[in-house]
Amino acid sequence: MNDAPSLFEADDASRPLADRLRPRTLRGVVGQDHLLASSGPIGRMVEAHRLVSMVLWGPPGCGKTTIARLLAEQTDLAFEPLSATFSGVADLRKVFSAAQRRREVGQGTMLFVDEIHRFNRAQQDSFLPYVEDGTVVLVGATTENPSFELNGALLSRAQVFVLKRLDDVALQTLIARAEELLGAPLPLTNDARQALVAMADGDGRYLLNMIEQVHALPAPVDTAALAAAVQKRAPLYDKGQEGHYNLISALHKAMRGSDPDAALYWLARMLDGGEDPLFIARRITRFATEDVGMADPQAVQQALAAWDVYERLGSPEGELAIAQAVVYLATAPKSIGVYRGFNRARAAAKRTGSLMPPAHILNAPTRLMKDLGYGDGYQYDPDTQAGFSGANYFPDGMPRETFYQPGTRGYERAISERLAHWARLRAAAPASAKPDPPGTSSNGPVRD
């Protein structure tokens, strides 16, 4: 093993392969050159021999713990590891006390907190004075978005570095290192080797654990034998956390971008990850009203039909109905005219307060209401010559506003032409035109 002495710990066959292959220097860490190279932000800190507190945010098996250990070694800091899952305030106090004693003799301390997002707000606050005065250099590791899970005060004192999911090149590098350490190539066909990388799904630790299971199998191991020998890694997807919101956002954007193929991919990713299909059904129904709207009034019916079909059939049969609705929505003409119009109307409603409707469009079921002029001059539009009276339906004293502005795609093209026609009729109505006498319209009795 050519560079094993500089890259890896002394080998001990009783230890797990992932631990035996743990790098001894930062240059042995794969897939994170954007942070660890000499030009990267962490690489520059190491060269300057001065670390700041940081949060390492990345998926499982990308090297967060290894990087933290190596940073402590290469900057001569005492390494104090804690897991937020098993530790509490008492454990933190012990670490802070020991760090203060070290500081008195000129020794720095790195406090590494794995799964730091599991500490509650009060526990996170306990870090602040010790991070602030330099008693500890805090390195937190998390798989969750720090913006959602960590205190703002803590984030203001620590830099967040995003670690990447290991790509195929990095995973192939780990396979080569494992084969070198084990002293023999893995008994895999070329297709099985590629399948092994795909099954790891970017998780280096999981890849090495699978290699431990397959390296002693009799050759040749094809993809079918590989699948029988090892368990496929569950997709990285947390229905209650950021992955949930990232993938539904990707599905939404793909449909909005009229890309049915990408939309089907993100739908499949969510269903494969265990997402509730009814959650997806609700979201695509919202999409139909928000992003398609009146450009295709049938879109919401398609979404509701998919929702209904899934509730009747369940999985997996009902998932096809959701897929069909996703394709329909992705290929439908898009308009946010109703969405924007409603928002403008809501803003106007808040601005104008409790203005009364104009009296001519109010019903008058009592004598008093008739005496007050309710319903006077109301024109029943279907009975007018043009089927359009041009009457004012806004409150008295409120100027007419245009909230709904249809586009020119799909059904909204016809709506746009119709509204323009009515606007011309409204503008052509004589300013001195008198309303019909109370109780009648231009062509017959008043109707509700």
Side-chain angles (χ1 to χ4, degrees), residues 42 45 50-57 64-65 67-69 71-72 75 77-84 87 91-92 95-96 99 102 108-142 146 149-161:
I42 295 179
M45 286 188 219
R50 183 174 181 82
L51 295 182
V52 300
S53 291
M54 65 184 74
V55 175
L56 302 178
W57 173 28
K64 297 184 292 293
T65 302
I67 290 171
R69 288 182 178 276
L71 287 177
T75 54
L77 295 175
F79 186 71
E80 288 276 9
L82 285 179
S83 171
S87 305
D91 301 292
L92 290 172
V95 171
F96 295 142
R102 290 192 197 97
T109 301
M110 174 189 289
L111 169 57
F112 173 68
V113 182
D114 195 19
E115 298 188 273
I116 191 171
H117 59 276
R118 296 189 182 277
F119 272 143
N120 61 36
R121 300 289 174 174
Q123 290 170 318
Q124 292 178 31
D125 283 341
S126 68
F127 296 136
L128 299 180
Y130 302 99
V131 171
E132 187 77 33
D133 69 7
T135 300
V136 297
V137 173
L138 174 65
V139 176
T142 179
E149 304 296 337
L150 301 184
N151 285 355
L154 183 58
L155 286 175
S156 71
R157 292 164 172 81
Q159 292 191 34
V160 176
F161 295 115

Side-chain angles (χ1 to χ4, degrees), residues 5 27 29 69 101 122 135 148 168 205 225 273 324 357 387 391 403 410 439:
R27 72 183 180 88
V29 177
R69 288 182 178 276
R101 291 194 296 271
T135 300
F148 301 149
D168 287 359
R205 184 188 305 108
Q324 178 177 323
F403 301 128

